[in-house]
Amino acid sequence: MERLPSWIRQHLAALRALLVLTLVTGAIYPLLVTGVAQAVMNGDANGSLLQEGGKDVGSALIGQSFTDGDGNPIKKYFQSRPSAAGAGYDPTSTAASNLGPEDVLDTLPVPGAKDDEGNPDTGKQSLLTQVCARSKAVGELEGVSGARPFCTSDGVGAVLKVFPAVGTPTRVVSVNQACPAAPFVSLYQGVKVECGKPGEDYAAGRTVPVRGNARAVVPPDAVTASGSGLDPHISVAYAELQAPRVARERGLGLDTVRALIGRHITGRALGFMGEPGVNVLELNLALDRLKG
């Protein structure tokens, strides 16, 4: 070996290092870690799967929807928070909506118009209107007020476009309420408020979100998706809000359902991160075991 040219010795040394590191990092280390994980935390290492009747029904780490074939909530079950991952809780499409608090203007659907794929134009809801619509729906489901700040009574963002953008208003439009809807306010600074006309361009106007005096009863996690879109938990407040409906639908005492919620509350991560939550799938499985 000493008689070989230095450049060949260097290449041979590099090849030996490559083979050794490939063996260590590509085989020995993964096998060691996998073996320890299987021996010490078998359930977590295999996806934290939950079973019912000998069948896998989901993972404690990934949320799922409890809806019927038409997407309507199944009333005897606790409902999960919204998800922006694919069609909902899709691990292959984990994502948030990436919409921020300034996303308040809807694109109203134009009657008779088609999108790029030839389907009827459905417009585009802003994040604000999504939140308002979800809050209204949750309020109707739970029998409470679905009102919240910056939302109209019909479940869209309470947003005005004021013309001109600077100076005394001469025209005001409730841009998220398509005609012939009645605007959520009749006057703004003495000017009659118009309903929004689909297809009309309001970009030149000044955007004015209107807070109103509503107090939100529906918790924030009932109307917003998590960052991953896969969160299996809801807040204790949202679980408590749903308890009367679930108790009524199952013929159970409210105290029984609330006690079950209490047994499924998980604490803060590491004792200080985040807020206590309730695993929806585990809670619903416990309900099914208690009484169908």
Side-chain angles (χ1 to χ4, degrees), residues 91-147:
T92 65
S93 301
T94 174
S97 66
N98 293 327
L99 301 177
E102 294 185 357
D103 188 58
V104 299
L105 299 175
D106 297 354
T107 300
L108 300 177
V110 178
K114 303 286 185 180
D115 61 19
D116 293 339
E117 298 178 355
N119 299 314
D121 179 25
T122 58
K124 179 181 176 295
Q125 287 187 335
S126 63
L127 177 61
L128 177 59
T129 287
Q130 292 178 39
V131 167
C132 295
R134 291 166 180 165
S135 190
K136 181 175 183 291
V138 171
E140 292 172 350
L141 179 64
E142 309 303 344
V144 299
S145 170

Coordinates of all heavy atoms in Angstrom, one line a residue, residues 91-147:
P91 N -53.0 12.8 6.2 CA -51.6 12.9 6.6 C -50.7 13.2 5.4 O -49.6 13.6 5.6 CB -51.3 11.5 7.2 CG -52.7 11.0 7.6 CD -53.6 11.5 6.6
T92 N -51.1 12.9 4.2 CA -50.3 13.1 3.0 C -50.4 14.5 2.5 O -49.7 14.9 1.6 CB -50.7 12.2 1.9 OG1 -52.0 12.5 1.4 CG2 -50.6 10.7 2.3
S93 N -51.3 15.3 3.1 CA -51.5 16.7 2.7 C -51.5 17.6 3.9 O -52.2 18.7 4.0 CB -52.8 16.9 2.0 OG -52.9 16.1 0.8
T94 N -50.7 17.3 5.0 CA -50.7 18.1 6.2 C -50.3 19.5 5.9 O -49.3 19.7 5.3 CB -49.8 17.4 7.2 OG1 -49.7 18.3 8.4 CG2 -48.4 17.1 6.7
A95 N -51.1 20.4 6.3 CA -50.9 21.8 6.0 C -51.9 22.7 6.7 O -53.0 22.2 7.1 CB -50.9 22.1 4.5
A96 N -51.6 24.0 6.8 CA -52.5 25.0 7.2 C -53.1 25.7 6.0 O -52.6 25.5 4.9 CB -51.9 26.0 8.2
S97 N -54.0 26.6 6.2 CA -54.6 27.3 5.1 C -53.6 28.4 4.6 O -53.7 28.9 3.4 CB -55.9 28.0 5.4 OG -55.7 29.0 6.4
N98 N -52.7 28.8 5.4 CA -51.7 29.9 5.2 C -52.4 31.2 4.9 O -51.9 32.1 4.3 CB -50.8 29.6 3.9 CG -49.9 28.4 4.2 OD1 -49.4 28.3 5.4 ND2 -49.6 27.6 3.2
L99 N -53.6 31.4 5.4 CA -54.4 32.6 5.4 C -54.2 33.4 6.7 O -54.2 32.8 7.7 CB -55.8 32.4 5.1 CG -56.2 31.7 3.8 CD1 -57.7 31.4 3.7 CD2 -55.7 32.4 2.6
G100 N -54.0 34.7 6.6 CA -53.8 35.5 7.8 C -55.0 36.3 8.2 O -56.0 36.3 7.5
P101 N -54.9 37.1 9.3 CA -56.0 37.9 9.8 C -56.4 39.0 8.8 O -57.5 39.6 9.0 CB -55.4 38.5 11.1 CG -54.0 38.4 11.0 CD -53.7 37.2 10.2
E102 N -55.6 39.4 7.9 CA -56.0 40.4 6.9 C -56.8 39.8 5.7 O -57.2 40.6 4.8 CB -54.8 41.1 6.4 CG -54.1 42.0 7.5 CD -52.9 42.8 7.0 OE1 -52.6 42.7 5.7 OE2 -52.3 43.5 7.7
D103 N -57.0 38.5 5.7 CA -57.8 37.9 4.6 C -59.2 38.0 5.0 O -59.8 37.1 5.6 CB -57.3 36.4 4.4 CG -58.0 35.8 3.2 OD1 -57.8 36.3 2.1 OD2 -58.7 34.8 3.4
V104 N -59.9 39.1 4.6 CA -61.2 39.4 5.0 C -62.2 39.6 3.8 O -63.4 39.8 4.1 CB -61.3 40.7 5.9 CG1 -60.4 40.4 7.2 CG2 -60.8 41.9 5.2
L105 N -61.7 39.6 2.6 CA -62.6 39.9 1.5 C -62.9 38.6 0.7 O -62.0 37.9 0.2 CB -61.9 40.9 0.5 CG -61.6 42.3 1.1 CD1 -60.9 43.1 0.1 CD2 -62.9 43.0 1.6
D106 N -64.2 38.3 0.5 CA -64.6 37.2 -0.3 C -64.6 37.5 -1.8 O -64.7 38.7 -2.2 CB -66.0 36.8 0.1 CG -66.2 36.3 1.5 OD1 -65.1 36.2 2.2 OD2 -67.3 36.1 1.9
T107 N -64.5 36.5 -2.6 CA -64.7 36.6 -4.0 C -66.1 36.0 -4.2 O -66.3 34.7 -4.1 CB -63.7 35.8 -4.9 OG1 -62.4 36.4 -4.6 CG2 -64.0 36.0 -6.4
L108 N -67.1 36.8 -4.5 CA -68.5 36.3 -4.6 C -68.6 35.5 -5.9 O -68.1 35.8 -7.0 CB -69.4 37.5 -4.6 CG -69.4 38.4 -3.4 CD1 -70.4 39.5 -3.6 CD2 -69.8 37.6 -2.2
P109 N -69.4 34.4 -5.8 CA -69.6 33.6 -7.0 C -70.5 34.3 -8.0 O -71.5 35.0 -7.7 CB -70.3 32.3 -6.5 CG -70.9 32.7 -5.2 CD -70.0 33.8 -4.6
V110 N -70.1 34.2 -9.3 CA -70.9 34.9 -10.4 C -71.9 33.9 -10.9 O -71.5 32.8 -11.4 CB -70.0 35.4 -11.5 CG1 -70.8 36.0 -12.6 CG2 -69.0 36.4 -10.9
P111 N -73.2 34.1 -10.8 CA -74.2 33.2 -11.3 C -74.0 32.9 -12.8 O -73.8 33.8 -13.6 CB -75.5 33.9 -11.1 CG -75.2 34.9 -10.0 CD -73.8 35.3 -10.2
G112 N -74.0 31.6 -13.1 CA -73.9 31.2 -14.5 C -72.4 31.1 -15.0 O -72.2 30.6 -16.1
A113 N -71.5 31.6 -14.2 CA -70.1 31.6 -14.7 C -69.5 30.2 -14.4 O -70.0 29.5 -13.5 CB -69.3 32.7 -14.0
K114 N -68.4 29.9 -15.1 CA -67.7 28.6 -14.9 C -66.2 28.9 -14.4 O -65.7 29.9 -14.8 CB -67.7 27.8 -16.2 CG -69.0 27.5 -16.8 CD -69.8 26.5 -16.0 CE -71.1 26.1 -16.7 NZ -71.9 25.1 -16.0
D115 N -65.7 27.9 -13.7 CA -64.3 28.1 -13.4 C -63.4 27.5 -14.5 O -63.9 27.2 -15.5 CB -64.0 27.4 -12.0 CG -64.2 25.9 -12.0 OD1 -64.3 25.3 -13.1 OD2 -64.3 25.3 -11.0
D116 N -62.1 27.5 -14.3 CA -61.2 27.0 -15.3 C -61.4 25.6 -15.7 O -61.0 25.2 -16.8 CB -59.7 27.2 -14.8 CG -59.3 28.6 -14.6 OD1 -60.0 29.5 -15.3 OD2 -58.4 28.9 -13.9
E117 N -62.0 24.8 -14.8 CA -62.3 23.4 -15.2 C -63.7 23.1 -15.7 O -64.1 22.0 -15.8 CB -62.0 22.5 -13.9 CG -60.6 22.6 -13.4 CD -60.3 21.8 -12.2 OE1 -61.3 21.2 -11.7 OE2 -59.2 21.6 -11.8
G118 N -64.4 24.2 -15.9 CA -65.8 24.1 -16.4 C -66.9 23.9 -15.4 O -68.0 23.6 -15.7
N119 N -66.5 23.9 -14.1 CA -67.5 23.7 -13.0 C -68.1 25.1 -12.7 O -67.5 26.1 -12.9 CB -66.8 23.1 -11.8 CG -66.2 21.8 -12.1 OD1 -66.8 20.9 -12.7 ND2 -64.9 21.6 -11.6
P120 N -69.3 25.0 -12.1 CA -70.0 26.3 -11.7 C -69.1 27.1 -10.8 O -68.4 26.5 -9.9 CB -71.3 25.8 -11.0 CG -71.5 24.5 -11.6 CD -70.2 23.9 -11.9
D121 N -69.0 28.4 -11.0 CA -68.2 29.3 -10.1 C -68.8 29.3 -8.7 O -69.9 29.6 -8.5 CB -68.3 30.7 -10.7 CG -67.4 31.7 -9.9 OD1 -66.5 31.2 -9.2 OD2 -67.7 32.9 -10.0
T122 N -67.9 28.9 -7.7 CA -68.3 28.9 -6.3 C -67.7 30.1 -5.5 O -67.9 30.2 -4.3 CB -67.9 27.6 -5.7 OG1 -66.5 27.4 -5.8 CG2 -68.7 26.4 -6.3
G123 N -66.9 30.9 -6.2 CA -66.3 32.0 -5.5 C -65.2 31.5 -4.6 O -64.7 30.4 -4.6
K124 N -64.8 32.4 -3.7 CA -63.7 32.0 -2.7 C -64.0 32.8 -1.4 O -64.1 34.0 -1.3 CB -62.4 32.4 -3.2 CG -61.2 32.1 -2.3 CD -59.9 32.6 -2.9 CE -58.7 32.4 -1.9 NZ -58.9 33.2 -0.7
Q125 N -64.1 32.0 -0.3 CA -64.4 32.6 1.0 C -63.1 33.0 1.6 O -62.0 32.3 1.5 CB -65.0 31.5 1.9 CG -66.5 31.3 1.6 CD -67.1 30.4 2.7 OE1 -66.4 29.6 3.4 NE2 -68.4 30.5 2.8
S126 N -63.1 34.2 2.2 CA -61.9 34.6 3.0 C -61.8 33.9 4.3 O -62.8 33.1 4.7 CB -62.1 36.1 3.3 OG -63.2 36.3 4.1
L127 N -60.7 34.0 4.9 CA -60.5 33.3 6.3 C -61.6 33.8 7.2 O -62.1 33.0 8.0 CB -59.1 33.6 6.8 CG -58.8 33.0 8.2 CD1 -59.0 31.5 8.2 CD2 -57.5 33.4 8.7
L128 N -61.8 35.1 7.2 CA -62.8 35.7 8.1 C -64.2 35.1 7.9 O -64.9 34.7 8.9 CB -62.9 37.2 7.9 CG -64.0 37.9 8.7 CD1 -63.8 37.7 10.2 CD2 -64.0 39.4 8.4
T129 N -64.6 34.9 6.6 CA -65.9 34.3 6.4 C -65.9 32.8 6.7 O -67.0 32.3 7.2 CB -66.3 34.5 4.9 OG1 -66.7 35.9 4.7 CG2 -67.5 33.7 4.5
Q130 N -64.8 32.1 6.5 CA -64.8 30.7 7.0 C -65.0 30.6 8.5 O -65.8 29.8 8.9 CB -63.4 30.1 6.6 CG -63.2 29.9 5.1 CD -61.8 29.4 4.8 OE1 -61.3 28.5 5.5 NE2 -61.2 29.9 3.7
V131 N -64.4 31.5 9.2 CA -64.5 31.5 10.7 C -66.0 31.8 11.0 O -66.6 31.2 11.9 CB -63.5 32.5 11.3 CG1 -63.9 32.7 12.8 CG2 -62.1 32.0 11.2
C132 N -66.5 32.8 10.4 CA -67.9 33.2 10.7 C -68.9 32.1 10.4 O -69.8 31.9 11.1 CB -68.3 34.5 9.9 SG -67.3 36.0 10.3
A133 N -68.7 31.5 9.2 CA -69.6 30.4 8.8 C -69.5 29.2 9.8 O -70.5 28.6 10.1 CB -69.3 30.0 7.4
R134 N -68.3 28.9 10.2 CA -68.1 27.8 11.1 C -68.8 28.1 12.5 O -69.4 27.2 13.1 CB -66.7 27.5 11.3 CG -66.0 26.8 10.1 CD -64.5 26.9 10.2 NE -63.8 26.3 9.1 CZ -62.5 26.5 8.8 NH1 -61.7 27.2 9.6 NH2 -61.9 26.0 7.8
S135 N -68.6 29.3 12.9 CA -69.1 29.7 14.2 C -70.7 29.7 14.2 O -71.3 29.2 15.1 CB -68.7 31.1 14.6 OG -69.0 31.5 15.9
K136 N -71.3 30.1 13.1 CA -72.7 30.0 12.9 C -73.2 28.6 12.9 O -74.2 28.3 13.6 CB -73.1 30.7 11.6 CG -74.6 30.8 11.4 CD -74.9 31.6 10.1 CE -76.4 31.7 9.9 NZ -77.0 30.5 9.5
A137 N -72.5 27.7 12.2 CA -72.9 26.3 12.1 C -72.7 25.6 13.5 O -73.6 24.9 13.9 CB -72.0 25.6 11.1
V138 N -71.6 25.9 14.2 CA -71.5 25.3 15.5 C -72.5 25.8 16.5 O -73.1 25.0 17.3 CB -70.0 25.6 16.1 CG1 -69.9 25.2 17.6 CG2 -69.0 24.9 15.3
G139 N -72.8 27.1 16.4 CA -73.9 27.6 17.3 C -75.2 27.0 17.1 O -75.9 26.6 18.0
E140 N -75.6 26.7 15.8 CA -76.8 26.1 15.5 C -76.8 24.6 16.0 O -77.8 24.1 16.5 CB -77.1 26.1 14.0 CG -77.4 27.5 13.5 CD -77.4 27.6 11.9 OE1 -77.1 26.6 11.3 OE2 -77.8 28.7 11.4
L141 N -75.7 23.9 15.8 CA -75.6 22.5 16.2 C -75.7 22.4 17.8 O -76.4 21.5 18.3 CB -74.3 22.0 15.8 CG -74.0 20.5 16.1 CD1 -75.0 19.5 15.5 CD2 -72.5 20.1 15.8
E142 N -75.1 23.3 18.5 CA -75.0 23.2 19.9 C -76.1 24.0 20.6 O -76.2 23.9 21.9 CB -73.7 23.7 20.4 CG -72.5 23.0 19.8 CD -72.5 21.5 19.9 OE1 -73.2 21.0 20.7 OE2 -71.7 20.9 19.1
G143 N -76.9 24.7 19.9 CA -78.0 25.5 20.5 C -77.5 26.7 21.3 O -78.2 27.1 22.3
V144 N -76.5 27.3 20.8 CA -75.9 28.5 21.5 C -75.8 29.6 20.4 O -75.9 29.4 19.2 CB -74.6 28.3 22.2 CG1 -74.8 27.2 23.3 CG2 -73.5 27.8 21.2
S145 N -75.4 30.8 20.8 CA -75.2 31.9 19.9 C -73.9 31.6 19.1 O -72.8 31.3 19.7 CB -75.0 33.2 20.6 OG -74.6 34.2 19.7
G146 N -74.0 31.7 17.8 CA -72.8 31.5 16.9 C -72.2 32.9 16.5 O -71.3 32.9 15.7
A147 N -72.7 33.9 17.2 CA -72.2 35.3 16.8 C -70.8 35.5 17.3 O -70.3 34.9 18.3 CB -73.1 36.3 17.4

